[in-house]
Amino acid sequence: MRMCFVAGPRMCIGYKFAIEEAVITLAKIYRRYTFRLLSEEPLQLRLGITIAPKFGIPVYVQSRSKDAQ
């Protein structure tokens, strides 16, 4: 996810709403699915302004039981 909201007097007016929306969306996703790493090898990192996984994070996604929803 790339966020370009900038700071200062010209900061995006929707910044706080976008952050809240992202948190709620992630909570709903994690409530419905279980995520497990496919490999136990250490991640290779890409260094830049931020540190990020070079090749993404391979995961196995499994739907949780209907009782948990």
Side-chain angles (χ1 to χ4, degrees):
M1 180 187 328
R2 185 179 220 170
M3 295 183 153
C4 300
F5 291 108
V6 187
R10 295 197 168 105
M11 184 173 178
C12 174
I13 61 171
Y15 169 77
K16 288 184 179 183
F17 175 75
I19 297 298
E20 280 298 313
E21 189 172 40
V23 168
I24 290 168
T25 301
L26 286 172
K28 287 184 174 188
I29 290 170
Y30 283 121
R31 183 176 172 195
R32 188 166 184 181
Y33 299 98
T34 299
F35 298 85
R36 292 192 183 101
L37 293 174
L38 288 179
S39 173
E40 295 197 20
E41 293 181 27
L43 294 174
Q44 293 182 12
L45 301 177
R46 177 184 51 80
L47 302 176
I49 294 175
T50 60
I51 298 173
K54 190 180 265 186
F55 303 109
I57 302 175
V59 295
Y60 174 75
V61 181
Q62 183 177 11
S63 182
R64 294 182 189 260
S65 68
K66 293 188 187 273
D67 297 335
Q69 296 176 16

